[in-house]
Amino acid sequence: MRKSLPSSLDTRSFALVLLLLAGCGGGSPTPVQSTPSPNPSNTAPGNGGTVTSPVQALRVVNVSSGQTASSIDINVASPGTSAGANAELLGTSDLNSGTTATNSGGVIHRGSTMKVVLFGRALSGSLRITVGGPQDITISNIRSVTATDGTAGVAFDAAVSGSAALGARTVYLRSANDDITAFTGGLEVIP
């Protein structure tokens, strides 16, 4: 069955309704930021007033690596500080032995005191060190060290309680300006 328009609606009226509907658009509304009109008495040159620049609407532009953006001014703020600390390698050893650090971490035994070393960018003895999990590992003697290849590092002594919880722990390193790096699960407590 076909449906037709009522006979009282002529073709011109129908076309006008279609144009009005097409002009309404569809989809979600686009937010618009209005620019306030300046007060002429305060902005007129020669009257001692100040001249203000118009406020521009902000819009978000997503650009991926390697893409270009044309006709758009993009301002990138420089970082407030140089690259922060980054814990990349961790190792454990007896207090008086040399230590080898790896990206997989190290183990520490219940009831022992061992040396823990971490190497990576901007690591030093000035960092505050904490170990995640229960408070059953005591940190002391934090000091700066350097790997044989010149990589900066930090070493500390870790005394583990005889009843310490078993399992992997995260070592957190915090700088004076609150930059934080972590070696996640890199220190494993074993029996």
Side-chain angles (χ1 to χ4, degrees):
M1 174 173 196
R2 285 179 43 137
K3 294 192 178 206
S4 61
L5 294 173
S7 61
S8 63
L9 186 63
D10 67 349
T11 306
R12 275 188 271 153
S13 298
F14 180 70
L16 181 61
V17 169
L18 285 178
L19 285 173
L20 288 173
L21 288 174
C24 292
S28 60
T30 303
V32 177
Q33 180 179 5
S34 64
T35 303
S37 300
N39 183 346
S41 63
N42 290 336
T43 60
N47 290 342
T50 59
V51 177
T52 60
S53 62
V55 177
Q56 295 180 3
L58 298 177
R59 64 181 182 180
V60 176
V61 177
N62 294 319
V63 180
S64 297
S65 176
Q67 288 184 322
T68 60
S70 60
S71 302
I72 299 172
D73 291 332
I74 298 176
N75 295 320
V76 179
S78 59
T81 61
S82 61
N86 187 23
E88 298 171 18
L89 306 169
L90 184 144
T92 58
S93 70
D94 294 330
L95 293 177
N96 298 317
S97 300
T99 306
T100 300
T102 66
N103 62 358
S104 59
V107 297
I108 193 164
H109 295 273
R110 276 183 172 168
S112 69
T113 299
M114 297 180 77
K115 177 172 50 175
V116 178
V117 296
L118 289 109
F119 294 106
R121 183 183 65 235
L123 297 188
S124 72
S126 66
L127 298 169
R128 188 174 49 152
I129 299 173
T130 56
V131 177
Q135 301 300 308
D136 50 14
I137 299 176
T138 303
I139 304 299
S140 64
N141 195 20
I142 300 170
R143 57 208 178 267
S144 295
V145 294
T146 304
T148 55
D149 68 356
T151 304
V154 60
F156 60 91
D157 298 339
V160 182
S161 162
S163 60
L166 299 176
R169 307 289 182 92
T170 297
V171 179
Y172 298 96
L173 302 104
R174 179 181 225 139
S175 69
N177 66 349
D178 288 336
D179 284 340
I180 297 174
T181 185
F183 199 100
T184 305
L187 186 62
E188 184 179 5
V189 177
I190 60 175

